[in-house]
Amino acid sequence: QVQLVESGGGLVQAGGSLRLSCVASGRIFSIDAMTWYRQAPGKQRELVASIASGSSPNYVDSVKGRFTISRDNAKNTVYLQMNSLKPEDTASYYCNALARRWSWEKAYDYWGQGTQVTVSS
């Protein structure tokens, strides 16, 4: 199995910054892409930022220019640097990895448990 553990969430004032981390561990042959999602109370989960091997990062429009996704392949870790945070960024943030456990296996989605980000006005 592949396990994902997020960290770095917390309470911050509007305009502040947080850096989320997500470490993938377990039986991993390769990770095709790593993605951050978020879900606010009463709302659907939305893709925030994604980074895939050999591709440019993608961001939802609402975070462009404020959030930066990066990846350390050697550590199977993805980061989300969040600057100029707004109250509307308040949500649970989830890490997703599209990963293969074996060379012959297709890639499957794996999810972390989430980390809470709360931005006060």
Side-chain angles (χ1 to χ4, degrees), residues 3-37:
Q3 295 84 38
L4 301 178
V5 178
E6 302 102 331
S7 61
L11 173 64
V12 64
Q13 288 188 332
S17 298
L18 284 174
R19 188 191 193 209
L20 304 184
S21 300
C22 171
V23 181
S25 63
R27 175 64 191 143
I28 299 172
F29 172 75
S30 65
I31 299 177
D32 293 354
M34 299 190 81
T35 303
W36 286 98
Y37 288 80

Side-chain angles (χ1 to χ4, degrees), residues 80-102:
L80 186 67
Q81 178 66 43
M82 305 186 294
N83 299 327
S84 302
L85 282 162
K86 304 176 181 180
E88 51 263 43
D89 294 318
T90 295
S92 292
Y93 283 71
Y94 298 90
C95 177
N96 168 277
L98 186 62
R100 305 170 192 271
R101 295 174 299 172
W102 313 98

